Amino acid sequence: MSKTVKPYYKNDQSKKEEVAEMFNNISKRYDFLNHFLSMGIDKIWRKKAVKILGQNNPKVILDIATGTGDFAVEALKLNPTKVIGIDISQGMLDVGIEKMKKKKVDHIIDLQLGDSENLNFDDNYFDGYTVGFGVRNFENLEKGLGEMLRVLKPNGKAVILEFSKPKKFPIKQFYHVYSKYILPTIGKIVSKDARAYTYLPESIAAFPEGDAFITIMKKVGYKNVESKLVAGGIATIYSGDK
């Protein structure tokens, strides 16, 4: 990326610190806004991503940037023995931990504070991992991808769901208006954080999507890298093997 996009542009904080602060700020309203602003389509995207993850029949799964744990919950459809979700925002995790208790799945899903660029797990530990809308928030993208590859078992599956920029009419035009005007306005009113939902489209615009991201994955060492557009290109599911 030519420019480091940050939520608040504070001189004394790194991007990672600002992202954690941002998600702490909006954690109580995140689930509502996430599903409302995506009109529920995000649930369909996660189902498709988990279906790809299931090709390797994973039993121990890592969910990076787990937030409140929606991706981790979806992964339960694969009947894993353990799902560990990590996030740099304790506020998001607190909401997620309560959610797991209510769903009575906290014996399988373990949500932990953790940094995707410095994972506290042994090499070759997980059968597969997921990342939902998190890689564009990484401070060092290659380092994060490399760490996630390190903790995958040989032939383990990586599945990354991330926003992208639609290229075709009329979705491209609708997305432009929605992301520039509607999303920031509603996000600001509900979340009370003026920057959080302005940062979202800015970070999407700066992210090296499509072939550029596939090239980075291959450079880091992923094999059999593929991508699949969803919702007309609003998001992309990337997958690769160790």
Side-chain angles (χ1 to χ4, degrees), residues 44-50 52 71 158-162 164 226-230 235-239:
I44 298 174
W45 299 343
R46 277 190 288 272
K47 289 180 189 296
K48 291 182 177 181
V50 166
I52 294 172
F71 224 147
V159 179
I160 298 169
L161 173 61
E162 188 52 85
S164 47
E226 298 178 349
S227 67
K228 178 181 178 63
L229 295 176
V230 291
T236 304
I237 300 172
Y238 303 92
S239 63

Side-chain angles (χ1 to χ4, degrees), residues 14-31:
S14 66
K15 176 178 180 177
K16 191 179 300 181
E17 290 170 328
E18 290 194 17
V19 167
E21 179 183 344
M22 179 189 72
F23 281 111
N24 284 336
N25 290 342
I26 66 174
S27 58
K28 297 293 190 296
R29 304 171 185 88
Y30 177 81
D31 277 348

Side-chain angles (χ1 to χ4, degrees), residues 113-184:
L113 191 66
D115 180 2
S116 58
E117 296 169 37
N118 294 284
L119 293 172
N120 190 28
F121 303 106
D122 293 335
D123 295 357
N124 310 314
Y125 188 83
F126 295 95
D127 298 307
Y129 77 70
T130 55
V131 190
F133 311 112
V135 290
R136 73 180 190 287
N137 295 322
F138 287 6
E139 193 161 67
N140 187 322
L141 182 57
E142 288 191 21
K143 184 178 180 182
L145 288 170
E147 268 290 272
M148 295 187 294
L149 184 65
R150 176 183 68 78
V151 300
L152 270 186
K153 293 178 181 178
N155 301 312
K157 175 77 70 176
V159 179
I160 298 169
L161 173 61
E162 188 52 85
F163 287 116
S164 47
K165 298 177 284 292
K167 307 296 190 295
K168 295 183 179 180
F169 177 86
I171 297 177
K172 177 181 177 180
Q173 286 71 21
F174 169 77
Y175 176 78
H176 174 74
V177 173
Y178 183 76
S179 64
K180 189 170 184 179
Y181 302 106
I182 300 173
L183 179 72

Side-chain angles (χ1 to χ4, degrees), residues 25 60 97 100 105 120 210:
N25 290 342
V60 182
I97 288 168
M100 300 312 137
V105 295
N120 190 28

Side-chain angles (χ1 to χ4, degrees), residues 38-58:
S38 71
M39 294 170 283
I41 300 175
D42 60 303
K43 297 178 182 179
I44 298 174
W45 299 343
R46 277 190 288 272
K47 289 180 189 296
K48 291 182 177 181
V50 166
K51 186 175 181 180
I52 294 172
L53 182 67
Q55 293 172 0
N56 287 34
N57 192 30

